[in-house]
Structures are given as structure tokens and as C-alpha cells.
Amino acid sequence: MSKIRLGVNIDHVATVRNARGDTYPSPLRAALIAQKNKADSITIHLREDRRHIKDSDLAEIKKKLKIPLNLEIAATQEMLKIASKNKPPYICIVPERRKEITTEGGLNLNYKKKFLKILIIRLKKNKSRVSLFIEPSLKDIINSKKLGADCVEIHTGKFCNLINENKKYKKEFIRIKKAVILGNSLGLEVHAGHGLTYKSAKILSKISGIKEFNIGHFLIGESIFSGLGKTIKKFRKIIN
Ligand code: PXP
């Protein structure tokens, strides 16, 4: 079985930084630590409202990073302009609703279909690998192929919620597996992301054909807990 790549989403390092409106903690530093620790790519989502990652983060990370940068963008003219200027090696087109806390579901591929098609062509011309963030729906897999995407990223939010709530997840697992099989058979590279934890990632890693996981919130959350004790000890040493 081929190795599943790990894309590390560092948006929430920016969330913590922005809580103080300052420069600490730096998303670039997080990206470089992830790179040093064998992350396969770094994911950032430049939202329309810039609630976490800012334009300056994108430019700085793109300049300093050696592993591929995966930029998540909404299908808008503004984001096309930014992506064309920065030319990240990977792009994932995601839905965006201003009031949502996080990306709540996959793209509606029938909405702004014409623009989506043009957007994909333009991004591919810049040599970016283009992925569409979709629900594990067979129809959306077929439509992603028709739209010309290189990859699809399956939204695993529903699956992860079922696991977190100790509910039956087999039906959703099979739904994802069927989407992966169809995607692969159409020549699409299939990725998965949203809400993944150690437990849900382990279960999904059993589906052969998923080539990449993109993980953010849990990974950054766990990093706080794994580093908290060490940081307290360091402060103790410094102040005494
Ligand atoms: N993949 C995509 C396309 C996303 O938009 C996100 C964040 O919303 C993730 C993966 C990571 O999700 P999480 O932060 O829940 O791990």
C-alpha cells in the first residue's frame, strides 16, 4: 500500500496570533516546524474575511517553504487573482459562507459552474494542482472529473462527527469508500479532510486509494497539550 501524504493545516496558529492582533505565534514558524517534521505539504485557507491566514502569511510562507503549499480558496475573482499572483503548487477550491465557523460541507458544483470551470482551467495553466472539496457523493465525483479537476478532497466532517459521538459510522465509511473507488477509477487523485482525529484518520487510512489527508484543528489542538507541560517546566526554570 502506498504511503498516505500528510498535509498540515496551520490556519489555527493564525487564529491564536490574531486573538492578540500581533505577530506571535507565527504561522510561518509553524509551517517550518511541520516541514522539519516531515509533513508532506502545508495547507492554509485564505478566507474572504481573513479571519486567520492573511495575504502577508501567504506571501511569506510561499517564499520560505520547500515542501508544497496547498492554498484553499473560495471560487471568487479575488481569489483567482491572488492564486494567479502567488502560483501555489497545490490549490483546493472550497465553499465559503461568511458566518460559518468552519467549512461546513463540500462544494455545490452546480453553483457558478461556468466560473468554476474557467477557474480550474486558469489555475491549471499556472501549473497548480487543482482539487475540489466535495461531499462523498458519486455525482460530485463524476462532476469534478467533468469540470477538469486533478483531485478531489472528500469532506470527512460527517464521518468524524459520528466517531466523536460514538455513533454508528459504517454507512458513512462505505459512502466514502465508494467515492474513493469511483474517483480513482476516473483518474482523480483522492484526498480526505475535515475534523480528522487520531481515531478517524486511522479508520479512514484503511481505505486504499486515499492519497492525502489534510488535518488542522485537532493536530494544532493536540500540539498544545503535548507541549504544555514542557513549556510550564521551562517557565519554572526561568523564573526561579
Ligand atoms: N481540508 C479542507 C479542504 C478544509 O477546508 C479544512 C479546514 O476547514 C481541512 C481540510 C482541515 O480540517 P480540520 O481543521 O477540521 O482538520
Side-chain angles (χ1 to χ4, degrees), residues 185-198:
S185 75
L186 295 175
L188 290 165
E189 189 174 287
V190 182
H191 309 153
H194 202 87
L196 290 169
T197 60
Y198 293 137

Side-chain angles (χ1 to χ4, degrees), residues 9 11-12 45 72 92 94 102-103 133 153 193-196 214-218:
N9 180 314
D11 288 346
H12 293 303
H45 183 178
E72 293 178 358
C92 183
V94 301
T102 180
T103 316
F133 193 37
E153 179 163 334
H194 202 87
L196 290 169
N214 283 299
I215 309 180
H217 186 261
F218 179 82

Side-chain angles (χ1 to χ4, degrees), residues 141 151-152 154 179-180 183-184 188-192 209-212:
I141 295 275
C151 321
V152 288
I154 292 176
V180 174
N184 285 164
L188 290 165
E189 189 174 287
V190 182
H191 309 153
I210 298 181
K211 291 282 184 312
E212 181 177 305

Side-chain angles (χ1 to χ4, degrees), residues 163-199:
I163 302 232
N164 293 344
E165 291 161 15
N166 279 321
K167 289 186 178 154
K168 289 191 178 118
Y169 60 81
K170 202 167 169 198
K171 214 169 128 191
E172 188 63 13
F173 179 84
I174 291 168
R175 195 170 161 240
I176 294 173
K177 192 172 174 179
K178 283 184 176 166
V180 174
I181 292 169
L182 179 63
N184 285 164
S185 75
L186 295 175
L188 290 165
E189 189 174 287
V190 182
H191 309 153
H194 202 87
L196 290 169
T197 60
Y198 293 137
K199 191 173 175 185

Side-chain angles (χ1 to χ4, degrees), residues 2 17 20 22 60 73 83 110 120 138 155 170 195 208:
S2 65
R17 177 204 50 196
R20 282 285 170 98
D22 209 331
E60 204 181 19
I73 54 167
N110 290 315
I120 294 169
L138 301 184
H155 193 299
K170 202 167 169 198
S208 69

Side-chain angles (χ1 to χ4, degrees), residues 66-78:
K66 293 206 169 67
I67 56 174
L69 175 64
N70 178 31
L71 178 66
E72 293 178 358
I73 54 167
T76 64
Q77 286 288 356
E78 185 203 10

